Every structure is written in C-alpha cells, then in structure tokens.
Amino acid sequence: MSDGGLTVLDGTQLRTIDLSLPESDGILTGAQLLELAESRASSCLFGLSLPENLKSSALKRLNFGDVVSFRPTELDRDQASSMLKDYVSAIADVLKVDPIVVAILDGKTLKLFLEDEDDFAMLAENLFTDLDTEDKGKINKNEIRNALAHMGVELGIPPFSEFPPLNNILQKHGAEGKEELGQAQFAQLLQPILQELADALAEEHVVVVQNIKIVNGSKLRKLLASEENLNAVVERILQQVNKTEKDAQRRTDMIRVFLEENGKELGLPSSKADESVALLYDEVFTDVGNTESADGSEMDEFRLLVKEILENFAEQLDENPVFQELND
C-alpha cells in the first residue's frame, strides 16, 4: 500500500511469500528458524531490517516463552515448517494492527529535479540561500554535505548513516574543505553529485522508516471486541459525564469532549492534529442516532451509545486511515 511517495507496510506484503524450507536433510535450530523467517520477511518488505519491537510483538503472539532458550532448540522439518509460517504470519498480524510507514529512496525523485533545468536551478538557489547564513554570496565547499541533509528524505536524499556510499560520492567530487563557492559554482558542483547519487540509489534502494503513526481503527476494534474493556471505558466516561443529565444531545456532546481529550489511548487520532481529524469527529457525531436498549435502562442505553460512536470511528478509520506524526 502506498500513499503520496510513502509506502505503508501493513502485512499484506507477507501474506503470499514463499515460506518453503531450504533443501536440507538435517534439522534446524530455533535460531536458524528465526533468522530464516526474518530474512524472508525483510526481503519482502523492500529489504527493511525488522525493528526489534516488531519481532518481539510477533513472538509474543506465538507464546514462544523464553526466546533465548528456544534458539538452541532442534526442530524437525515439520515443526520448522509450521513455526516458520506461524512466525511470518504473526509479523503480518502485528503490522496489520500497527503498520510501518517507509520512504523507498530509488533515485526517481532526484532524477525529476535533474531532468528539469528550471526545477534544479530553483532547488540549488534555495539551498544556497539557506546555507549562506551570513549573506556573503559565498559558502564553503563542505556545505554541500549540509545541503544534502537539508534536502532530506522528502527530496530523495538518504541519511548519511543509512547510505555510507554518499560519503564516497562527496569525496569523489571534491565536496570538502573551506574553498568558497558562489551560487553558480555551488550548482555546478551539486548537479553531478545528485546525478551519481540518483544512479547509486537506482541500483541499491534505501528504505527509511518514517516517524509516522497510522491510525486505522484496529486498536478500536480490539477494544470493541472485549466487553470488559468497553465497559471500563464507559465507566470512565460516566465519571466525567453529568449522570443527572437527561438531554441526549448534551450527553453526546460530553462523550465527544471525553474522546477528544482521551481518544488517543483508545486508538483514535489526536483531535489536535489537523482539520481532517476535526472533520472526522464532526462526521461521526453527526451520524449518531438515538440508541435504546431492550430493557430501557439508562446505563445500557448510554453503553450502546458509546459503542455506536466507537464503531462509527472504527469504520471511518478503516476506510480512511489517518497519518500522524508520532510526537503528535
């Protein structure tokens, strides 16, 4: 799944991969099995090195117990085959609940700038202006490194830590030292560096995990599936809602206030994020109907109302997930 230059790893990529064991007459250890599963999953996820929290969450779903003691365990082919499929499936399940957003840097964005003279000239001019902090009309050669960092992943530049060959490219083109460059000289030096970087990325893609959280309703659906957890939420809301309030609209408004203040921990997007989230709240609460329980008790009616609202949120988020910065 992709979105505006970003790629969402939500587990669907792992559902159809080849999980056959390598040809061997021998047994596999637990360590070899884990390495095989993680290697297969990584290759299917554009070469992403699986985050430790993703692996540990998947293993917890399998009730492996102590992973350290599992690693030397010897497994026959039937056991290994079953566990391989279960582990990769568990990784996919974790990603479905908590997807990872990545940028795949393959040089295409850079080539778009390089193929259009006007776009490249504007890019070089803006970078030069930003780096010429003293407004001298000159910057040092070694500022090229800062120019690339300034462009960043959004413009197709991988972090130096993720792509060490970038250092070699700078060295090859002499982008070092204190020699001063004017704007035209800066552009002349920048262009071949970006061209070589674009070519290198075309051969060896770089996958960069983004600081983005996708709110897709999965956490809400898990909450709704547990009557105990749902009741606990209802109790919390009741503690803040005027229990003597009889007006249905007033009660609904009080529920909205609670969710706007506490919804993030329940699996809702932060209400302070952007206008689209405010519109989501408006749409959900506009659709709220008059819910009555079979026995007509106020507590049950209130519980059904909260459930209806949360179900509406889950449905909307499933159809239109919300992307948010992790620090929102």
Side-chain angles (χ1 to χ4, degrees), residues 201-234:
L201 290 172
E203 294 184 10
E204 182 185 345
H205 299 177
V206 175
V207 181
V208 182
V209 176
Q210 300 296 282
N211 190 40
I212 294 174
K213 169 77 174 177
I214 298 181
V215 185
N216 59 8
S218 57
K219 189 173 180 179
L220 267 181
R221 287 190 291 276
K222 186 176 180 181
L223 168 66
L224 288 163
S226 168
E227 188 170 342
E228 180 181 352
N229 291 338
L230 177 59
N231 287 338
V233 171
V234 172

Side-chain angles (χ1 to χ4, degrees), residues 133-151:
T133 56
E134 298 180 5
D135 200 23
K136 298 191 306 182
K138 298 281 186 179
I139 60 173
N140 293 339
K141 258 189 177 183
N142 58 15
E143 289 287 353
I144 288 284
R145 176 180 292 269
N146 292 331
L148 297 181
H150 195 76
M151 290 175 68

Side-chain angles (χ1 to χ4, degrees), residues 131-289:
L131 294 170
D132 183 18
T133 56
E134 298 180 5
D135 200 23
K136 298 191 306 182
K138 298 281 186 179
I139 60 173
N140 293 339
K141 258 189 177 183
N142 58 15
E143 289 287 353
I144 288 284
R145 176 180 292 269
N146 292 331
L148 297 181
H150 195 76
M151 290 175 68
V153 172
E154 186 177 350
L155 296 183
I157 305 292
F160 282 83
S161 60
E162 300 282 342
F163 195 63
L166 190 47
N167 291 300
N168 299 331
I169 293 174
L170 291 179
Q171 187 175 15
K172 174 182 175 181
H173 291 275
E176 301 174 324
K178 298 291 186 179
E179 181 184 342
E180 291 189 330
L181 305 174
Q183 183 177 315
Q185 294 170 306
F186 169 77
Q188 290 171 359
L189 179 58
L190 178 65
Q191 188 169 24
I193 289 173
L194 293 184
Q195 184 62 64
E196 184 164 345
L197 175 57
D199 293 340
L201 290 172
E203 294 184 10
E204 182 185 345
H205 299 177
V206 175
V207 181
V208 182
V209 176
Q210 300 296 282
N211 190 40
I212 294 174
K213 169 77 174 177
I214 298 181
V215 185
N216 59 8
S218 57
K219 189 173 180 179
L220 267 181
R221 287 190 291 276
K222 186 176 180 181
L223 168 66
L224 288 163
S226 168
E227 188 170 342
E228 180 181 352
N229 291 338
L230 177 59
N231 287 338
V233 171
V234 172
E235 286 293 337
R236 285 182 60 195
I237 298 175
L238 280 172
Q239 290 174 10
Q240 298 188 28
V241 171
N242 186 349
K243 296 181 181 180
T244 63
E245 179 61 63
K246 299 297 183 181
D247 183 83
Q249 184 58 51
R250 284 280 299 156
R251 282 205 161 197
T252 301
D253 291 344
M254 292 175 182
I255 294 172
R256 175 167 181 162
V257 170
F258 175 87
L259 294 180
E260 287 178 342
E261 293 177 352
N262 304 278
K264 190 174 179 181
E265 64 185 88
L266 306 179
L268 290 172
S270 171
S271 61
K272 302 176 183 177
D274 53 45
E275 186 179 353
S276 66
V277 177
L279 292 174
L280 169 64
Y281 270 80
D282 289 343
E283 184 170 355
V284 166
F285 279 90
T286 297
D287 291 340
V288 172

